[in-house]
Amino acid sequence: MSGRPVRRGMGGLLILLVSACDQGPMTNQPKYETFEPAPRWPHNQSARVPVAGTVARGEAIDPRVPETLPMPLTRELLERGQALFNIYCSPCHGRDGAGAGMIVQRGFPAPPTLHSDRLRQASLRHFYDVISHGYGVMYAYADRVARSDRWAIAAYIEALQLSQYARVDDLTAEQRARLEGGSSGQAGEGAQQ
Ligand code: HEC
């Protein structure tokens, strides 16, 4: 009999502890659910843009962007750029960069050709920046295309531009002979297109 009051007291303590876990202020704090509207914030959005200089997990920490290609220009890099351009950019810009991609043919506003004089003179860094930050109505690809891949795409755009303006004079004698021997008469025209 003498132990009873103590046990009762412990039971009460247990109930107190359990209820504290369930209802405590740590559980019910004011917070926004994902994408919940927030009238006090700009554009009524609770989802905020990351602070400038935020580095995503897995990204290099140094946020400074080099002025030009920070890696060797290799065939491998261009092939990677080509693959990514075809995935991310060609739906609007077309595989040839002329601006008549598949969704443009379905009514989406057409981007400019990448073969204009201005864009042929543009730097690799300009393409890198357009991919990173978007341009006019084109949205940014920073969250989908890693930094090194942006350079690969930029380098590929230059290769694409060159492909539309290659002249017969740019070819080596051996390449010319192969071209002229391969398709008699049509060679010059084909190369200049
Ligand atoms: C959903 C369609 C769409 C996709 C996808 C797209 N773009 Fe664009 N892009 C546009 C449009 C539209 C413009 C013109 C924007 C403007 O002038 O307001 C543009 C403009 C550009 C320009 C020209 C910038 C200048 O100086 O005039 C470049 C370069 C470019 N895009 C590169 C890319 C690359 C590289 C990708 C892939 C990573 C890409 N775009 C993906 C629609 C797209």
Side-chain angles (χ1 to χ4, degrees), residues 84-93 103-104 108-114 116 118-119 122 126-128 130-132 134-141 144-145 149-150 153-154 157 161:
L84 293 167
F85 181 90
N86 289 343
I87 292 168
Y88 288 110
C89 321
S90 75
C92 292
H93 288 274
I103 68 169
V104 172
F108 199 84
T113 172
L114 298 178
S116 64
R118 180 176 68 85
L119 288 176
H126 178 62
F127 299 141
Y128 180 95
V130 171
I131 301 170
S132 305
Y135 186 90
V137 297
M138 180 187 140
Y139 44 78
Y141 279 81
R144 273 156 288 186
V145 181
D149 286 341
R150 291 176 221 165
I153 295 177
I157 291 177
Q161 291 173 329

